[in-house]
Amino acid sequence: MKIQFFDEFEEDIKSKYKLCRAVSVRARELGEYFTAARNMERVSIMKPLVDMDSEDPLEISFNELKEKKIEFGNIEEKEK
């Protein structure tokens, strides 16, 4: 997995903690999506929004944030 740097996200997210929280929430969703897909189950979780060869949920969620496919505010609302 390519390590992303906080500087790339600093303009959108001011706190490293919030960045970790946002990425972890989306990574858990993607993990559930991939598990359901392997078991051929239906799930109401949004599929990955970036095209990647990797199935690493953490890497995908970082790239989704980096490419602004998902907004940080949407993730914070789901936590509450």
Side-chain angles (χ1 to χ4, degrees), residues 22-55:
V23 171
S24 69
V25 167
R26 181 62 179 147
R28 282 190 202 111
E29 287 179 357
L30 290 170
E32 291 175 19
Y33 173 82
F34 288 130
T35 300
R38 278 192 292 273
N39 296 333
M40 297 181 354
E41 298 172 352
R42 285 189 152 182
V43 67
S44 62
I45 300 170
M46 189 174 17
K47 66 179 186 171
L49 300 173
V50 292
D51 294 327
M52 295 183 66
D53 294 333
S54 173
E55 283 193 14

Side-chain angles (χ1 to χ4, degrees), residues 9 11-13 18-19 21-27 29 46 49-50 60-79:
F9 303 100
E11 61 191 37
D12 297 327
I13 302 170
K18 288 183 179 182
L19 173 65
R21 244 345 247 151
V23 171
S24 69
V25 167
R26 181 62 179 147
E29 287 179 357
M46 189 174 17
L49 300 173
V50 292
I60 294 170
S61 60
F62 265 118
N63 283 317
E64 287 178 345
L65 275 175
K66 183 178 178 183
E67 294 180 15
K68 300 187 191 288
K69 298 287 184 171
I70 58 174
E71 293 181 15
F72 179 65
N74 295 344
I75 294 172
E76 275 188 331
E77 290 171 8
K78 289 180 184 180
E79 290 179 356

